[in-house]
Amino acid sequence: MRYQFKFRPYQRRFGRTLTTNHGNWDIREGIILRLTDETLRVGWGEIAPISWFGSETLEQALDFCRQLPEEITDNTIFSIPDELPACQFGFESACEWGSGKWGVGSKGDEKNNFLTPNSSLLPYSGLLPAGEAALNQWETLWQQGYRTFKWKIGIDAIAHELEIFELMIHTLPASTKLRLDANGGLTYEEANLWLWTCANLKANGELPLEIEFIEQPLPIEQFQGMLELSMSYETAIALDESVATLGQLAACYQQGWRGIFVIKPGIVGSPSRLRKFCHQHQIDTVFSSVFETAIARLAALQLAAELSRNNRAIGFGIDHFFEQEETWLQSLCKDL
Ligand code: MG
């Protein structure tokens, strides 16, 4: 198949700064692409890199798009190098979109009605703000239907975070599932203390809710430490930064990881190869956002619906971090 290829970069400001152990994030930049096949079917795709998380940079993705001719083929798309995982995702999902099998993006979709908010049958995990602010914010998310929350740790001193944590577990309703995401910001001793605290509270009957998992407690280089911790405590550990791309995911699996894998479809690489890996190894996955627009989100939610197991909530509960998106994205698409 041959495609007419067009692309346009975008910038989008977060409604409020996103704070993690990697630092602050104010503006999301990415690329929207459009593939029109020989039968004039249109497929939309989005390249939304996060270079500090292991993908290519926006500049590398733009360079790749700029050097492509106006007409490309399936072969162009399926030979995008592994060093450009966000590009692999953007182009391949635009092809799938255009193929019509998701029931969107069909001929004459001038109204771009795919930009209506996506929904999924899977439960969503809501991202709480960092620090004490979480204690005042969870209720709004609860009213919106969220029952799984994620809270960032490894930002402040551990003693202070443990204090907030103890307040939080007694504030949140008992049916809540709580995920603690350290973004690799803990030392082995600190991670051990978090896991020990969870185990100790539970043993004393003082843990009213479920701690679903601790996410990426240690930096990527300390894989063995995380493997060891995952075998020492009942609370599960999820790898995130360690498995940003398919190559890393496969490597961790080979080295014996049988805990949870957080998959960010937007930067993991080729969707078709991801499907193959998940089917082959039946891994326990949590699907998660890269703060993409509705375009990449639709593609990511397709993958989540196909590949999620154990009914784990998906990490796409992030709409409240952005202002309304629909108008600007619609006009960008119309102009492309
Ligand atoms: Mg994470």
Side-chain angles (χ1 to χ4, degrees):
M1 187 67 89
R2 294 176 172 281
Y3 306 92
Q4 291 296 317
F5 163 56
K6 285 188 167 181
F7 70 99
R8 174 162 305 176
Y10 71 82
Q11 288 197 336
R12 185 187 189 200
R13 182 172 285 281
F14 286 102
R16 65 163 176 263
T17 302
L18 183 71
T19 306
T20 74
N21 175 54
H22 299 289
N24 291 340
W25 198 11
D26 291 305
I27 296 173
R28 209 296 169 242
E29 294 182 282
I31 303 164
I32 301 295
L33 58 97
R34 191 175 90 158
L35 299 181
T36 310
D37 74 9
E38 293 150 40
T39 69
L40 300 181
R41 281 192 309 198
V42 172
W44 297 95
E46 178 179 348
I47 303 170
I50 318 183
S51 56
W52 47 262
F53 212 94
S55 83
E56 68 271 49
T57 62
L58 178 75
E59 222 25 67
Q60 288 168 321
L62 275 173
D63 285 346
F64 178 75
C65 291
R66 287 188 191 117
Q67 56 82 42
L68 284 177
E70 275 175 35
E71 190 178 278
I72 62 170
T73 65
D74 283 317
N75 191 41
T76 321
I77 292 163
F78 286 94
S79 53
I80 298 174
D82 288 346
E83 290 69 47
L84 301 172
C87 290
Q88 288 181 338
F89 171 80
F91 279 86
E92 228 185 275
S93 48
C95 273
E96 286 187 21
W97 186 310
S99 74
K101 63 181 172 189
W102 304 343
V104 290
S106 52
K107 227 184 268 188
D109 191 3
E110 302 90 358
K111 283 178 294 190
N112 291 333
N113 58 16
F114 57 84
L115 296 180
T116 51
N118 306 137
S119 59
S120 169
L121 292 177
L122 292 163
Y124 281 71
S125 159
L127 180 57
L128 296 167
E132 271 149 342
L135 294 169
N136 311 316
Q137 292 276 337
W138 68 272
E139 215 163 354
T140 317
L141 291 172
W142 179 272
Q143 281 157 7
Q144 290 164 13
Y146 293 101
R147 295 298 179 265
T148 300
F149 296 120
K150 178 191 277 199
W151 186 51
K152 297 285 185 181
I153 60 171
I155 299 168
D156 209 338
I158 187 165
H160 185 52
E161 289 187 343
L162 283 168
E163 276 171 30
I164 302 171
F165 173 71
E166 297 224 11
L167 285 174
M168 197 180 308
I169 58 174
H170 293 109
T171 307
L172 294 173
S175 55
T176 311
K177 286 184 185 176
L178 184 61
R179 301 171 170 179
L180 303 171
D181 187 1
N183 289 107
L186 303 176
T187 64
Y188 184 92
E189 290 68 31
E190 288 170 339
N192 195 56
L193 181 55
W194 272 105
L195 287 159
W196 179 86
T197 303
C198 293
N200 192 47
L201 286 167
K202 196 169 178 190
N204 295 332
E206 288 166 8
L207 191 58
L209 49 80
E210 182 190 338
I211 307 302
E212 190 181 9
F213 53 76
I214 295 189
E215 190 171 318
Q216 194 74 34
L218 309 182
I220 300 174
E221 309 75 58
Q222 295 177 39
F223 175 79
Q224 288 303 327
M226 289 188 279
L227 193 58
E228 210 177 288
L229 288 169
S230 74
M231 290 168 180
S232 310
Y233 290 98
E234 199 183 312
T235 302
I237 296 179
L239 295 184
D240 187 8
E241 280 84 343
S242 289
V243 296
T245 64
L246 254 175
Q248 290 173 293
L249 201 152
C252 289
Y253 183 84
Q254 302 313 339
Q255 290 173 73
W257 188 261
R258 295 297 179 271
I260 299 163
F261 294 82
V262 177
I263 295 180
K264 292 177 157 49
I267 57 168
V268 79
S270 152
S272 55
R273 279 162 50 207
L274 175 69
R275 279 192 190 96
K276 213 170 140 196
F277 187 91
C278 290
H279 285 143
Q280 199 176 346
H281 300 294
Q282 301 286 304
I283 54 174
D284 190 354
T285 52
V286 169
F287 281 79
S288 174
S289 153
V290 290
F291 300 92
E292 58 281 272
T293 75
I295 290 178
R297 187 163 66 234
L298 185 67
L301 290 177
Q302 289 286 334
L303 281 167
E306 280 176 55
L307 302 174
S308 285
R309 304 169 72 231
N310 304 329
N311 200 41
R312 292 201 187 276
I314 50 177
F316 286 84
I318 49 111
D319 276 352
H320 54 291
F321 276 93
F322 287 111
E323 316 278 307
Q324 283 299 315
E325 73 173 5
E326 311 311 333
T327 350
W328 74 267
L329 188 55
Q330 246 162 1
S331 43
L332 186 150
C333 288
K334 211 153 70 185
D335 292 347
L336 196 61

